[in-house]
Amino acid sequence: MSDVLQQLAQVLEARKNADPESSYVASLHAKGLNKILEKVGEECTETLLAAKDAEHSGNTDELIAETADLWFHTLVMLSRLGAGAVAFTNHCNTANGKA
């Protein structure tokens, strides 16, 4: 899993300063932190609703998709603030011993 996060972090950093017309990530950065936070909040709500739906239907496909969107936008937020996937992974590794 850390390979996937590392690859995604590299893509996010590379696209951070790309042309906002050609990169979704660059367009978020160009719009600023408030827009990124708005997307994190939106994806969080969609993830919560998908979890409730999954509880009743037993189908987790939408929950997985929404969770992936939430994690993606959260990583964009961390990247914006200079605390990317490496810091996230390091924290998870430390916290893993406390679980």
Side-chain angles (χ1 to χ4, degrees):
M1 183 167 87
S2 63
D3 289 342
V4 172
L5 281 177
Q6 185 176 29
Q7 290 171 356
L8 181 55
Q10 290 171 347
V11 169
L12 292 177
E13 285 303 313
R15 294 186 183 165
K16 196 174 187 177
N17 297 312
D19 178 8
E21 295 292 320
S22 64
S23 167
Y24 175 68
V25 172
S27 73
L28 288 174
H29 283 286
K31 292 173 185 170
L33 181 60
N34 283 347
K35 182 61 176 179
I36 295 168
L37 296 176
E38 180 183 309
K39 289 301 295 180
V40 171
E42 175 185 313
E43 297 303 340
C44 182
T45 300
E46 290 175 2
T47 300
L48 295 172
L49 294 173
K52 291 296 287 182
D53 290 346
E55 180 181 47
H56 295 289
S57 71
N59 183 335
T60 59
D61 293 346
E62 188 67 22
L63 175 60
I64 298 300
E66 292 301 342
T67 301
D69 288 347
L70 175 60
W71 287 12
F72 173 83
H73 287 90
T74 300
L75 288 172
V76 172
M77 176 191 67
L78 290 173
S79 173
R80 171 71 180 206
L81 298 171
V86 172
F88 173 79
T89 303
N90 289 343
H91 178 78
C92 289
N93 286 335
T94 301
N96 188 34
K98 298 176 186 175

